[in-house]
Amino acid sequence: MDTTNAAAARAGTSPGEILALFRDVTDGLTKTDVVQRTGLSRTTVNQRLDGLLSAGLLVPAPRDARTRGRPAGRFVVNRSRGVLLVADLGATGLRTAVCDLAGEVRAEREAASDVTTGPEAGLTVVEGLFAELLAETGYTERDVLGVGVGVPGPVDFATGRVVSPPIMTGWDRYNIPGRLGPRYDCPVLVDKDVNAMAYGEQRLRYPDVDHLLMVKIGTGVGTGMVAGGRIHRGADGAAGDVGHIQVTVDDIKEPPVCRCGNTGCVEAYAGGWALVRDLREAGHDVTSVNDAVRLIRSGDLTAVRLARRAARILGVAIADAVNMFNPRVIAIGGQLAHTDEQLFAGIREVVYRRSLPLATRNLQIVRSALDPRAGVMGLTQLLVDGIYAPHRVQELIDRSAESGGR
């Protein structure tokens, strides 16, 4: 197969596959460029581009004043064709954003939020912040083409329902897409927060790395995996939950009870809520994970000792994941990732000692480059992927044709 035919096989003939050619090309493409990249006839290319232009998914590229003569017509993705709304929910706070179709954040808001108050209260806060963001950027609910929600619990990705979440009281099987979809009349994507973080980190910071492990160490301990450039969710969406691996700690006679109901989980020793528990038992006046982080960073002996123990326990669980999954990059985020080397030194030492040499010879263990916006950025990338999906592009073209164009 020659180069042109190989490109044609990749591009196919659907408008969505044509639009995908423009996704990462900042200065646009001409009709001739598309013909050369796909091997399609000029007539077919004209038809596909006409549909994309009529639907407002492509627009003529701005002319460069430095270009002499009459430049060939170039087209670029219309990043202002609509917007995407994303909400990254954590145990004690949330971050929302409005993004354009190129995945760039136009505006964002943070708010304190207790996930244990249930879905009605939590999503009411989210909807209020979405309204503020749309007003700020000059868009309306009719302009929303996709909504993404990240939650701190296991998700059945096919249905968008949270399943038996240890800390999300009242959220089990709650229909988040059913709550948000009718309001914005668009697809609603729901995923585990750490899956979104992993995808954002891989797509935007390590695009050449196909296998990445994301570990979020905040109130709890969560893990997301990108395998072969795609999120690995497992058969039922439960992949990567190292926080609930049960471990034995030599100097602990009675394993602590975890929030999931089991005893001796990694999170019950090394999660932020566990550190707060242990610091309070040691006589410290702490009420939040941020309080614990400040104590660790200040050099408090008890806090540092507990952080180092947490790092070793996390290292054991992560080493098991390295031996099973063999990632190239391990990105660590969450509040406890900001304790400087108190955490990272212990994790690295245990991982390199317990993992196979072949699995660690090129391994990078780094702080998340996107944290604390990794979840928002990952959800945005997932939504943009959805916008460029061939069936979604065709749907937008059909809607435009029915309404006589936008």
Side-chain angles (χ1 to χ4, degrees), residues 1-13 34-41:
M1 182 181 290
D2 64 25
T3 303
T4 300
N5 288 336
R10 289 194 301 273
T13 60
V34 176
V35 169
Q36 292 175 344
R37 292 185 181 216
T38 64
L40 300 173
S41 70

Side-chain angles (χ1 to χ4, degrees), residues 65-123:
R66 297 170 297 178
T67 302
R68 294 184 178 181
R70 184 178 180 181
R74 304 184 73 82
F75 305 96
V76 295
V77 170
N78 181 7
R79 56 195 304 160
S80 299
R81 165 66 171 77
V83 290
L84 308 170
L85 294 173
V86 296
D88 182 24
L89 279 65
T92 58
L94 60 88
R95 182 184 295 266
T96 57
V98 59
C99 311
D100 63 27
L101 297 192
E104 182 177 332
V105 173
R106 294 289 187 89
E108 59 187 314
R109 291 274 195 284
E110 290 183 78
S113 178
D114 183 354
V115 77
T116 64
T117 59
E120 294 296 334
L123 293 177

Side-chain angles (χ1 to χ4, degrees), residues 120-140:
E120 294 296 334
L123 293 177
T124 296
V125 174
V126 167
E127 289 173 327
L129 294 174
F130 280 170
E132 293 179 15
L133 291 167
L134 290 173
E136 179 180 337
T137 53
Y139 287 93
T140 69

Side-chain angles (χ1 to χ4, degrees), residues 207-289:
D208 297 327
V209 171
D210 287 337
H211 298 83
L212 178 144
L213 183 71
M214 180 79 206
V215 182
K216 179 184 178 183
I217 313 169
T219 302
V221 176
T223 310
M225 297 186 288
V226 172
R230 303 179 65 180
I231 295 175
H232 177 69
R233 299 183 177 89
D236 299 301
D241 205 349
V242 302
H244 296 287
I245 293 175
Q246 292 176 308
V247 295
T248 300
V249 179
D250 292 339
D251 60 344
I252 302 294
K253 294 182 179 180
E254 187 171 338
V257 177
C258 184
R259 296 182 299 178
C260 72
N262 291 327
T263 59
C265 294
V266 168
E267 183 179 301
Y269 290 107
W273 67 269
L275 289 181
V276 170
R277 175 202 63 206
D278 292 344
L279 286 168
R280 295 186 70 175
E281 289 179 357
H284 287 284
D285 183 19
V286 295
T287 59
S288 68
V289 178

Side-chain angles (χ1 to χ4, degrees), residues 382-404:
L382 286 168
L383 286 175
V384 172
D385 287 351
I387 291 294
Y388 284 85
H391 73 278
R392 179 63 172 146
V393 171
Q394 189 61 56
E395 179 184 319
L396 293 172
I397 290 174
D398 293 342
R399 282 191 181 186
S400 177
E402 291 171 2
S403 62

Side-chain angles (χ1 to χ4, degrees), residues 89-91 114-119 150-156 159-176 190-193 220-221 236-238 241 244 258-262 267 273:
L89 279 65
D114 183 354
V115 77
T116 64
T117 59
V151 297
V155 174
D156 179 346
T159 64
R161 294 175 186 256
V162 185
V163 181
S164 301
I167 67 170
M168 300 178 68
T169 306
W171 290 78
D172 185 33
R173 306 289 177 177
Y174 185 84
N175 188 1
I176 298 175
V190 183
D191 208 345
K192 185 171 72 172
D193 57 353
V221 176
D236 299 301
D241 205 349
H244 296 287
C258 184
R259 296 182 299 178
C260 72
N262 291 327
E267 183 179 301
W273 67 269

